[in-house]
Amino acid sequence: MAKQRVLSGVQPTGNLHLGNYLGAIRNWVEGQSQFENFFCVVDLHAITAPHDPKTLAQDTYTIAALYLAAGIDLQYSTIFVQSHVPAHSELTWLLNCITPLNWLTDMIQFKEKSVRQGENVNTGLLDYPVLMAADILLYQADQVPVGEDQKQHLELTRDIAARFNHLFATPEAPVLKQPHPLIRPEGARVMSLTDGTRKMSKSDPSDQSRINLLDTPEQIQYKIKRCKTDPIRGLEFDNPDRPECHNLLTLYMVLSGKSREEVARECQDMGWGQFKPLLTEATIAALAPIQAKYQEIMSDRGYLESVLRTGREKAEAVANETLAQVKAALGYSKPL
Ligand code: TYM
């Protein structure tokens, strides 16, 4: 039986942080041998917020190298850059024309980001989830491994696929497959180091709020030393009045590979002064192999380029086939 297909992506905006790693990439790595995987660097999404043209290409390479450094294996997975496959933009346009406007204005991320971007809100920010739907639907993906914050965008993708099939296909021969979100509970929502009620985010102006995958051991130590805690002794999961405590224990659990019960027992009588060095050590140890591999990959630009070239060819073959089916269903004439 053919393997189920997976597609996911990360934006090349700034550095990747522990939320991106634990919510998404680590799960891609762990599940990859069971699936046929496509992982893209979503650089078209990256310009929906103000961006710096001088760093976009380099940031794109950085993310692709981090995919490899985190353990994406080319035996099972294809890595490519979204803008290298023009079908993503073309399908977005076609899907735009069947997506009701209020589906987009209702998106939580659009509402939040448009408040933050003030007068800089462009049409791309509103249309962002349709581009994401195109990314997924082009590959007829069965599963989409993401963090909790992308759940609503996945629901929208399913709705767009269903609407397209309803309008332009038959139930017996649907054109677009409805994908399922793959959200692992541990690490699906990593919270900020400065406020345990807000998610860790690339767009938080304070770098102290996140641990980046490429932070040095000194930076990691400094950030954990200064992170927000509470005055209570004895650490516990799931106390709604102690969001920072729950977040830091969860990070420790996932990064150290210990079970929840083990961590709960180990930390139940601890104070923060005793716990923070443990978390620091576990974080540094978990990131060290990724950082070493990253340096190795970045020192061989030719290799990275060849990975992305092969990735583009494989991705394009699948994407173009779906695009042709969509255009045929919509009644377009074939190019002569
Ligand atoms: P992006 O670049 O914001 O985030 C990439 C991935 O990291 C997850 N994530 C988190 N997980 C746990 N805790 C956090 N604090 C945290 N912050 C981010 C996100 O859920 C995501 O899985 N729209 C997407 C990118 C995208 C995409 C796609 C994803 C574009 N096309 C197609 C899947 C399929 C985004 O902005 O992710």
Side-chain angles (χ1 to χ4, degrees):
M1 214 173 79
K3 284 179 173 176
Q4 283 206 336
R5 206 175 268 159
V6 152
L7 178 126
S8 200
V10 170
Q11 294 189 63
T13 36
N15 224 319
L16 288 195
H17 53 68
L18 272 184
N20 303 128
Y21 178 58
L22 300 177
I25 299 172
R26 190 183 59 122
N27 302 332
W28 306 354
V29 171
E30 279 178 11
Q32 66 183 328
S33 64
Q34 299 165 49
F35 300 110
E36 180 194 5
N37 311 277
F38 289 87
F39 297 121
C40 58
V41 183
V42 292
D43 57 346
L44 296 171
H45 281 96
I47 67 164
T48 54
H51 84 290
D52 182 355
K54 291 196 198 73
T55 58
L56 181 60
Q58 186 57 28
D59 289 345
T60 302
Y61 277 98
T62 295
I63 304 292
L66 278 169
Y67 287 0
L68 289 165
I72 295 299
D73 183 339
L74 299 173
Q75 188 187 339
Y76 307 114
S77 306
T78 299
I79 298 176
F80 69 102
V81 177
Q82 185 188 36
S83 68
H84 295 179
V85 180
H88 290 248
S89 305
E90 194 171 346
L91 183 61
T92 302
W93 176 256
L94 302 175
L95 297 180
N96 274 341
C97 297
I98 63 141
T99 304
L101 187 58
N102 68 317
W103 287 10
L104 300 181
T105 50
D106 282 351
M107 290 287 111
I108 297 167
Q109 273 206 359
F110 172 70
K111 289 185 196 161
E112 284 174 1
K113 287 192 183 175
S114 54
V115 168
R116 221 180 305 134
Q117 284 179 219
E119 288 178 5
N120 258 326
V121 176
N122 55 50
T123 308
L125 190 69
L126 177 70
D127 202 27
Y128 175 115
V130 182
L131 176 58
M132 180 163 162
D135 297 340
I136 297 165
L137 299 175
L138 273 177
Y139 297 86
Q140 307 282 12
D142 299 280
Q143 307 279 348
V144 183
V146 283
E148 181 75 36
D149 62 336
Q150 296 301 318
K151 201 170 168 195
Q152 197 185 33
H153 290 158
L154 256 297
E155 279 157 15
L156 180 87
T157 302
R158 290 175 58 82
D159 289 346
I160 291 176
R163 186 166 163 90
F164 186 93
N165 290 335
H166 172 71
L167 292 172
F168 301 106
T170 59
E172 298 74 38
V175 173
L176 297 173
K177 189 179 263 183
Q178 280 192 299
H180 297 277
L182 196 61
I183 301 175
R184 283 263 234 85
E186 291 89 19
R189 202 167 160 75
V190 175
M191 308 310 274
S192 157
L193 293 186
T194 46
D195 178 351
T197 63
R198 292 178 44 191
K199 73 167 187 172
M200 187 176 283
S201 160
K202 289 178 207 156
S203 53
D204 191 316
S206 163
D207 196 53
Q208 167 66 35
S209 68
R210 60 188 161 258
I211 291 176
N212 302 305
L213 295 196
L214 297 175
D215 278 349
T216 61
E218 293 72 33
Q219 284 171 315
I220 293 169
Q221 186 178 31
Y222 182 77
K223 286 178 178 176
I224 293 178
K225 206 169 181 184
R226 295 196 39 193
C227 75
K228 186 170 178 209
T229 54
D230 55 34
I232 305 167
R233 197 179 170 80
L235 308 182
E236 58 190 333
F237 285 105
D238 290 330
N239 182 338
D241 297 328
R242 304 183 70 190
E244 287 80 19
C245 187
H246 178 79
N247 187 44
L248 296 172
L249 280 192
T250 306
L251 284 179
Y252 179 56
M253 172 183 79
V254 181
L255 293 167
S256 69
K258 293 182 181 175
S259 72
R260 198 180 156 97
E261 293 69 33
E262 252 177 294
V263 170
R265 217 175 314 115
E266 183 185 356
C267 304
Q268 63 189 351
D269 299 318
M270 275 188 195
W272 292 107
Q274 206 180 346
F275 173 75
K276 283 184 171 184
L278 291 180
L279 177 60
T280 304
E281 208 178 298
T283 309
I284 293 171
L287 297 186
I290 298 175
Q291 296 181 346
K293 188 88 196 292
Y294 170 79
Q295 296 305 342
E296 206 181 293
I297 294 162
M298 285 307 262
S299 66
D300 187 353
R301 178 78 169 212
Y303 169 69
L304 197 53
E305 284 174 359
S306 76
V307 169
L308 295 177
R309 197 174 307 118
T310 310
R312 176 182 62 74
E313 286 165 6
K314 285 192 185 163
E316 211 158 41
V318 177
N320 287 349
E321 195 181 317
T322 308
L323 183 63
Q325 288 166 3
V326 167
K327 289 173 83 172
L330 289 170
Y332 279 98
S333 60
K334 285 209 175 109
L336 298 172

